[in-house]
Each structure stands twice: as C-alpha cells, then as structure tokens.
Amino acid sequence: MTISSATRPVDVYRTRLGERSQIEPRPHPVVWGKAPAPGPLTGPELAAYDARGYHAQQDVLSDNDIAESSHDARRIADELGDDDRVIREPSNGDVRSLFAAHELSTVVAEICAREDIVGVARQILDDDVYIHQSRINFKPGFSGGPFYWHSDFETWHAEDGMPAPRALSVSLALTPNTPANGPLMIIPGSHRQFVSCVGATPDAYHRESLVSYRPPFGTPDEADVTELADDSGIDSITGPAGSAVFFDSNCMHASSGNISPYPRSNLFVVFNAVSNALVAPFAAATPRPEYLAHRAS
Amino acid sequence: MTISSATRPVDVYRTRLGERSQIEPRPHPVVWGKAPAPGPLTGPELAAYDARGYHAQQDVLSDNDIAESSHDARRIADELGDDDRVIREPSNGDVRSLFAAHELSTVVAEICAREDIVGVARQILDDDVYIHQSRINFKPGFSGGPFYWHSDFETWHAEDGMPAPRALSVSLALTPNTPANGPLMIIPGSHRQFVSCVGATPDAYHRESLVSYRPPFGTPDEADVTELADDSGIDSITGPAGSAVFFDSNCMHASSGNISPYPRSNLFVVFNAVSNALVAPFAAATPRPEYLAHRAS
C-alpha cells in the first residue's frame, strides 16, 4: 500500500515533536453539520455532548447481547492464540484485548450495525461512517492494570494518519462499571483542546504502547493533564452492564487499575467519518497494522 | 524488652500457617460494653458501625488543621531523611508515609487528643485507649500506588502481638477523597469475619511489606476477598478534605492506585484499648519496631 502525503494541507494537530508540549484550541467542530441533526439523540443530548465530550446511556445492550459477545470473543481469542490481534497481560498472559472484534465475530458485527449505536455516530459526525477500530477489553479483577491519560485522536492522527477528530468511540459495558473496578475517567471539555505530546514515535511502536500502562510517547505531560483537570474536574463514568458511553475521539481520558474482585470488560468501537479517511501517519514512519486502524475501502 | 508468651490462652485468630486459608466468624464484639455508651456517636451511628464496620463524618478537621499538620509532616520528613519512620515511593523517592506522626509533631498530637476523635475510640472500645500506630500517608497524583486488600488486625495480631480486635483506626482526609484519586474501599460487614492468611512471616518482614502494594504474606487469598465482596459489595468512601472515617481494625479494605493529577493524603491513627495491650507476636519471631506498633507504657 502506498499512501501519498505530497498534497496534504498544513497540519493543525502537530505532535510528537522534540519541543515542549502545547495545549491549543481545536479548530474543528465536535457536533458536525446542522444541530440538532436527526438521529437517536435529542437536541439537549447533542448540546451536552458538544460541551462535555461524551454521552452516557443505559440499557443499550441486553443480557443476551452481553453473554453472546463475551463468549464469542473469548472463544475467538482462544483460537487465535498468540495472534497479533490478541493482547495479553504482561504479568500472567491473560487476554487483555481482542482487536478487530467486528471482523472476527458476527455477534459483535451485528451489535455495531444497530441504529442506536452507529446511528449516534452518523448523527454527531454528520456523515456516513466506518469502523476505524474495534476491540473487546477484558480488565480482570485483582490485577487489571490502569490505562494512563491520553487522547485517542492524538494517537490516531500521529500513528494512523487520521486527519481530523471527526470520529467518536462507544464503550459498551459487558460488566458493571463501579467505583471500585477502574471505570472510565474523562476530563469534561478536554475534547475542545488539542494537547501535543513530546518525542518522536519509534518504529513498530504499537507493540510497546499496547502493553504499557503509561507509554513513553503519545502520553501528555502531567502539567497539561493537571491544567485540563483544574479547569473542569474529572468525571468517573459508572453504570450497569449494558450501558454505553459515546465519547469524542479527542477526550482526555484514563482508567485506574482494578483491584476489586470483579472484571471490567467492554466492547469498544470507533466510528470514523468516511470523509475523514486515513492518509499517511502525521508523526510516524509507517502506519500501524490494519487490525488497529482499518482503512475504508 | 522481654515479652513472655508462656501463659497466653488459645489463639482464636490463627494465621500465617502453611495450610489453606479460612474465613471464620469473629468471636469478639465490634462495639464493646453496653451500647449505646456515652460519647460523640449517637445510638444509630453506633449500630451502623457495628453492622458495617465503619463510620464516616465530614468537617472533623479545619482548613487550618490540614495546612498545619501537612506542613509539619513534610518538614519533619525532610529533617529525618532516610530514617526508618519515613517510607518513600520505590520509583522516585517521594515521601509515601511518615510513621509515629503523633510523637514527632505536636500539631498531630493535639489533633489525636480531641474528644471528637479519641472519644469515638473510647466509646466504641469501652475502655481507655492509647495510640498503637500513627502515620501521615502522602499518595501523590499520577503515580500513587495501590494498597491491596488486607485486614489491619491480621497484621497487628500476627506481627505485633495484638490479642483481639479491640482497636480501631481513624483516617482523617488532608486532601479531598474523590472517585478518581484512589479512595478507601471497604467491604462492609467483613470486620465480622477473620480471614487467615497463608505462609510464615519472614524476619524483618515490615521492610518489605511497607513498600509493596501487594505483600506476599498477610495478604488474603483472592477467593476469600471475592467471597466477602459477593456477600455485601464494596463501599468506596469519598469526601472533602477534613472528613474522617473511623473503621474497625478487622475491616477488609484496600485502595486503588491514583492516576489523577491530585494527591490523596491522610492522617491515619490507630487507637487500641489499654486492656488489649500487645504481647508477643502471634505469628512472627520478633515484634515489629516501636514506631510501627507502640507498646503502652
């Protein structure tokens, strides 16, 4: 695959440079098109998403959805063994993530195609969408590691060549998300700022970054995270199994380690606008593999 | 110091053995004497403490108390350098705990002696009390490690020779305790069960156990923690700076790591009934040092 970057415009999301990090206002919209656009969310829900960067909703998956997708993912991970799409805990080899879940599991594919899931993405992004990435995360009880603060868009822009933050993620809870098991933490409003990260991306960096709780590159400075949190606090997002959180690709987010006895598992799906198709990476020598960053065909 | 164990009665809290762990009902009371005894807590508050194992209260410390005790503790830790009473983060040398805080700081000593603090201990334990241990914990933002599940009494019985769980702790918040910064998690009702731990205690074990997030000894089996949590859930205890949590010495508790930008610091004081004075350790060759387990004089 050859990806030309000869004609690309000036990059307004410069990152992975050898200089001090910066917090810059995001020039692109959050809710695209004319709001309120038709779709599953109400006008007030769209306005709240615009302001805070996320929308949480209960009862999106049924008990049966949860049982079938979890079972399917574990079966597939077992079959795949040490395939690159299976990420394991460094400490004990337990499955931590299964990537390309919508390609590997028809159960997951069907869930992703539902109007109350993909329809929210179309409504907010005001475009047709495709799946940029999907994965099931298994965060086991007692030993699930934390995920340090990051903006997904910073990584997708730098390493995958996603031009603009015209993308969003939905995290579908396969287990309860409680205060005790390391729920998603989002700094509300942070999606309106772009925080650049320091340091050039090494080759094949995803092999390291996917198993490190605090990767050395693509990770914001502590001072920048503090500045964002001082401005608007930190929301911890809890809810029963079957809940969904839709969140902007540029939200600063994290989750703590899980020392509760209970796993925290979720199905994570990223929808990207077809008009925002990937180009060459903005701050890496070669794009990441297809299972981490699908390219619309 | 010579401590005789010739005449001690049969140990009803056997632990650190080379066999499978056990969960046994606790034979001793939680609220001692005739309830409701006179003191700061109301009858319903005492009953709730009896059932759940803890009592939380706001506005126990003033802003001035917090500023003075925090400042005093940092000054003292700086002066002490690498004294054994100062515990540092393995990763970067930051101060994690200052032990014997009530002996080292007159500010802390005055706080510990207040009727709304020590009076609660006297009321619940129905006896005069002395300070078994005190410390200030500094859990820094971004990198504060977790504390794994444990019963304090299990350690104090095994390693310090505390005969019965006629002791309680108070954790006084010097910073806000939020869902994001690794607040105290307690399994309510767990104080009514004694969970034995497997494995003989090594010599001078406190040098390891105080810097490990999940020490190999004095740590309950995952199956036992799961059984307790399945029975009654997990309470995450949050509150503003100045809040207090009084909790029974035998509560199963833990706290997650802190990847928020904000520290979680507290003044932690253990009151033991004078009638429950320490004897020889029940499962260790020699007692821990005085700064970890004061002996009533």
Side-chain angles (χ1 to χ4, degrees):
Chain A
M1 175 176 55
T2 303
I3 301 169
S4 167
S5 62
T7 60
R8 70 167 60 185
V10 172
D11 182 13
V12 294
Y13 299 106
R14 295 175 72 234
T15 188
R16 313 280 175 110
L17 303 170
E19 46 193 57
R20 208 180 149 353
S21 66
Q22 286 195 311
I23 303 181
E24 298 279 359
R26 157 191 182 147
H28 288 107
V30 175
V31 177
W32 295 66
K34 285 183 194 155
L41 300 193
T42 66
E45 285 170 342
L46 283 173
Y49 181 94
D50 199 42
R52 299 189 77 74
Y54 68 91
H55 170 73
Q57 188 157 333
Q58 294 191 8
D59 299 321
V60 175
L61 294 188
S62 71
D63 292 349
N64 194 49
D65 292 334
I66 292 166
E68 285 194 353
S69 58
S70 302
H71 179 266
D72 219 30
R74 288 193 185 279
R75 178 187 59 77
I76 291 163
D78 284 347
E79 287 173 11
L80 289 174
D82 62 355
D83 185 285
D84 282 348
R85 290 168 289 186
V86 182
I87 309 295
R88 296 178 185 276
E89 288 281 337
S91 55
N92 59 11
D94 284 354
V95 175
R96 175 166 162 163
S97 301
L98 174 69
F99 279 87
H102 70 293
E103 289 185 344
L104 293 164
S105 162
T106 53
V107 176
V108 171
E110 186 275 319
I111 289 171
C112 295
R114 291 180 190 167
E115 179 59 20
D116 64 345
I117 295 174
V118 68
V120 172
R122 283 196 206 99
Q123 182 182 22
I124 288 172
L125 304 177
D126 189 40
D127 200 353
D128 283 337
V129 299
Y130 70 98
I131 293 179
H132 170 67
Q133 184 189 97
S134 77
R135 64 177 191 264
I136 290 191
N137 292 318
F138 298 102
K139 196 173 193 174
F142 291 115
S143 60
F147 289 97
Y148 192 75
W149 297 100
H150 64 286
S151 151
D152 290 328
F153 173 67
E154 193 278 340
T155 296
W156 300 337
H157 184 68
E159 300 184 28
D160 298 338
M162 182 182 284
R166 193 168 186 169
L168 63 75
S169 302
V170 55
S171 176
L172 296 149
L174 303 180
T175 59
N177 282 248
T178 73
N181 72 354
L184 179 65
M185 299 189 287
I186 292 181
I187 299 178
S190 61
H191 63 305
R192 295 185 161 280
Q193 310 289 329
F194 182 73
V195 182
S196 67
C197 298
V198 172
T201 316
D203 283 346
Y205 178 56
H206 63 278
R207 293 185 190 280
E208 178 181 351
S209 64
L210 291 179
V211 293
S212 169
Y213 101 89
R214 185 173 177 167
F217 304 98
T219 293
D221 279 2
E222 292 185 356
D224 293 335
V225 176
T226 303
E227 182 176 332
L228 294 173
D230 282 349
D231 281 349
S232 37
I234 297 170
D235 289 353
S236 287
I237 302 174
T238 56
S243 302
V245 188
F246 297 87
F247 60 104
D248 183 88
S249 59
N250 191 45
C251 282
M252 189 63 69
H253 65 289
S255 61
S256 294
N258 177 13
I259 63 171
S260 87
Y262 307 112
R264 188 176 80 88
S265 302
N266 59 69
L267 166 58
F268 181 82
V269 187
V270 182
F271 296 103
N272 188 28
V274 294
S275 60
N276 194 39
L278 304 189
V279 295
F282 286 81
T286 51
R288 297 194 300 174
E290 183 78 16
Y291 69 90
L292 294 176
H294 301 283
R295 289 176 184 269
S297 52
Chain B
M1 177 175 52
T2 304
I3 301 168
S4 168
S5 62
T7 59
R8 71 167 60 185
V10 172
D11 182 13
V12 294
Y13 300 107
R14 295 176 73 234
T15 188
R16 312 282 175 107
L17 304 169
E19 46 192 61
R20 207 177 148 359
S21 66
Q22 286 196 310
I23 302 182
E24 298 279 359
R26 158 192 182 148
H28 288 107
V30 174
V31 176
W32 296 65
K34 285 184 195 157
L41 300 193
T42 66
E45 285 170 342
L46 283 173
Y49 181 94
D50 198 42
R52 299 189 77 75
Y54 68 90
H55 169 72
Q57 187 157 335
Q58 295 191 8
D59 299 321
V60 175
L61 295 187
S62 69
D63 291 350
N64 193 50
D65 292 335
I66 292 167
E68 285 195 351
S69 59
S70 302
H71 179 266
D72 219 30
R74 288 194 186 278
R75 177 186 61 76
I76 290 163
D78 284 348
E79 287 174 9
L80 288 175
D82 62 354
D83 185 284
D84 281 349
R85 290 168 289 187
V86 182
I87 309 296
R88 297 177 184 276
E89 287 282 337
S91 55
N92 60 11
D94 284 353
V95 175
R96 175 166 162 164
S97 300
L98 173 69
F99 278 87
H102 71 293
E103 289 184 344
L104 293 164
S105 162
T106 53
V107 176
V108 171
E110 186 275 320
I111 288 171
C112 295
R114 293 180 189 167
E115 180 58 21
D116 65 346
I117 295 174
V118 67
V120 172
R122 282 196 207 100
Q123 181 182 23
I124 289 172
L125 304 177
D126 189 40
D127 199 354
D128 282 338
V129 299
Y130 71 98
I131 293 179
H132 170 67
Q133 184 188 96
S134 76
R135 64 178 191 262
I136 290 191
N137 292 318
F138 297 102
K139 196 173 192 175
F142 290 115
S143 59
F147 289 96
Y148 191 76
W149 297 99
H150 64 285
S151 151
D152 290 327
F153 173 67
E154 193 278 341
T155 295
W156 301 337
H157 184 69
E159 302 184 27
D160 299 338
M162 182 182 284
R166 193 168 186 169
L168 62 76
S169 302
V170 55
S171 175
L172 295 149
L174 304 179
T175 58
N177 282 248
T178 73
N181 73 354
L184 179 65
M185 299 188 288
I186 292 181
I187 300 178
S190 60
H191 63 305
R192 296 184 161 282
Q193 310 289 328
F194 182 74
V195 182
S196 66
C197 299
V198 172
T201 317
D203 283 346
Y205 178 55
H206 64 278
R207 293 185 189 279
E208 178 181 353
S209 64
L210 291 177
V211 293
S212 169
Y213 101 88
R214 185 174 177 166
F217 304 98
T219 293
D221 279 2
E222 292 185 356
D224 293 335
V225 176
T226 303
E227 182 176 332
L228 294 174
D230 282 350
D231 281 349
S232 36
I234 297 171
D235 289 353
S236 287
I237 302 174
T238 55
S243 302
V245 189
F246 297 86
F247 59 104
D248 183 88
S249 60
N250 191 45
C251 281
M252 190 63 71
H253 65 290
S255 60
S256 293
N258 177 15
I259 63 170
S260 87
Y262 307 112
R264 188 176 79 88
S265 302
N266 59 68
L267 166 57
F268 181 82
V269 187
V270 182
F271 295 104
N272 187 29
V274 295
S275 59
N276 194 40
L278 304 188
V279 294
F282 287 81
T286 52
R288 297 195 301 173
E290 183 77 16
Y291 69 89
L292 294 176
H294 301 284
R295 290 176 184 269
S297 51

